[in-house]
Amino acid sequence: LLLVFKNTTVEKPIHVLRITTDGKQLIQPRDLFLIQEGAKAEVIEEHASTSFSVTTSLVNSVRESYVAKGAELLVHKLQRDAAAHIAQESVQVDAKGNYSISTTTLEGSLVRNDINVSLSGPEAHAELNGVYVLNGNTHCDNHTYIGHDVPDCTSDELYKGIIAEKGTGVFNGKVYVKQDAQRTRAYQSNANILQGDDARVFTKPELEIYADDVKCSHGCTIGRLDEKGLFYLRSRGVSEAEARKLMAHAFITEVVERVQNEEWKAVLTALIDAKLAKL
């Protein structure tokens, strides 16, 4: 339980570290975050393991979050454990509340992240960001739902993935705008790069709109690294491996730059670059 009282600001991020050891384990963490009116909190949730070898462990996590009027909750989630990981996140954001989550997936035999956000008060805002860098046989699902239940709410969603070897990425994002939710502003984007003939990605961005005064957009892209860009870098003396790493880094940077915590951004950048070097 994380309870932040009214008009209280948690000065430093709360770091939750969950470590999976080798063997057959069923781990079922359940969290409840209550951010009262005008309060602010930042949480770093890190999933790691003692070994990156294949494991039969399963992490089945559930979190419920309530962001009250004028409150703010920032969550940074890092998945780099070898276990299968299923996560359910349910969030309610009241008037003028702000909820932001950034999910970075670098390891895991089977990963599924379900995020359901309800914007239930005027001027509530949600920002969902995601990075997934997959290789081997890793499978990662990101399923998101943002419900614009009342007028004058905003949401912004950006997910990017790089998939190599026999990895599989899935993105299914839905923005639902109710009939009374006028003046909604919602943006959603998913972009993917495939490296290799066996890499796969399935993407399905969705908008379901019943109001008539809205500004909403959604889209997705799937492609490979730009060959002309690679040729340009190699013509300047950069090796092919380094050129690919540089272009992949530039592709992911747009998402990582959204992280406001500079120290955590530096940690993420280093981990992502180390992962890209292995592709």
Side-chain angles (χ1 to χ4, degrees):
L1 170 64
L2 171 62
L3 173 60
V4 184
F5 291 107
K6 183 177 180 179
N7 296 325
T8 300
T9 298
V10 181
E11 296 296 336
K12 295 184 178 180
I14 300 167
H15 193 169
V16 180
L17 177 60
R18 294 190 166 108
I19 300 177
T20 305
T21 57
D22 293 338
K24 299 178 180 180
Q25 300 182 67
L26 174 60
I27 305 165
Q28 302 193 84
R30 183 178 181 89
D31 299 329
L32 177 62
F33 291 175
L34 300 175
I35 316 300
Q36 294 186 350
E37 183 176 342
K40 295 182 180 181
E42 182 177 6
V43 177
I44 297 173
E45 179 189 4
E46 183 176 356
H47 295 262
S49 59
T50 55
S51 171
F52 289 125
S53 60
V54 176
T55 176
T56 56
S57 295
L58 170 64
V59 179
N60 180 33
S61 63
V62 175
R63 176 162 57 233
E64 296 173 90
S65 301
Y66 173 66
V67 182
K69 181 179 179 181
E72 182 176 311
L73 173 62
L74 276 68
V75 179
H76 310 289
K77 186 173 184 178
L78 173 61
Q79 297 169 319
R80 57 188 189 103
D81 56 342
H85 194 135
I86 300 173
Q88 173 71 44
E89 180 115 12
S90 298
V91 186
Q92 179 181 335
V93 187
D94 276 357
K96 298 184 179 180
N98 188 343
Y99 170 75
S100 173
I101 183 170
S102 60
T103 304
T104 304
T105 304
L106 302 179
E107 302 287 348
S109 57
L110 172 64
V111 179
R112 175 166 176 140
N113 298 307
D114 282 350
I115 303 175
N116 297 290
V117 181
S118 172
L119 301 176
S120 58
E123 298 183 50
H125 177 73
E127 182 175 298
L128 278 59
N129 301 308
V131 168
Y132 43 99
V133 182
L134 315 174
N135 62 349
N137 292 302
T138 298
H139 180 113
C140 177
D141 278 34
N142 284 296
H143 293 255
T144 68
Y145 172 91
I146 301 177
H148 286 258
D149 301 334
V150 298
D152 300 307
C153 292
T154 57
S155 65
D156 192 0
E157 192 171 359
L158 177 62
Y159 278 73
K160 285 192 172 186
I162 298 178
I163 303 97
E165 298 174 2
K166 294 184 178 181
T168 302
V170 177
F171 174 80
N172 181 202
K174 184 170 186 176
V175 175
Y176 185 95
V177 182
K178 288 189 175 181
Q179 186 173 359
D180 295 332
Q182 304 295 344
R183 298 174 298 281
T184 286
R185 303 294 182 265
Y187 307 97
Q188 182 188 89
S189 177
N190 174 233
N192 302 274
I193 286 179
L194 300 179
Q195 294 190 8
D197 295 335
D198 295 323
R200 300 185 302 169
V201 66
F202 303 91
T203 178
K204 185 184 178 186
E206 299 179 63
L207 292 176
E208 190 168 341
I209 303 171
Y210 295 97
D212 52 16
D213 181 8
V214 301
K215 287 185 179 180
C216 300
S217 67
H218 71 314
C220 66
T221 61
I222 301 172
R224 298 181 182 272
L225 291 176
D226 180 27
E227 293 297 331
K228 292 183 179 179
L230 286 172
F231 177 79
Y232 175 83
L233 289 172
R234 297 196 65 190
S235 69
R236 296 302 186 271
V238 180
S239 68
E240 182 177 357
E242 187 64 21
R244 289 184 177 277
K245 180 182 174 182
L246 287 172
M247 293 188 67
H249 174 92
F251 175 75
I252 293 295
T253 293
E254 182 184 3
V255 187
V256 178
E257 283 299 316
R258 292 191 171 200
V259 176
Q260 299 174 12
N261 185 320
E262 293 298 328
E263 292 183 0
W264 183 244
K265 184 191 298 184
V267 170
L268 279 183
T269 300
L271 289 173
I272 292 171
D273 284 348
K275 180 72 174 183
L276 292 174
K278 299 178 181 178
L279 301 185

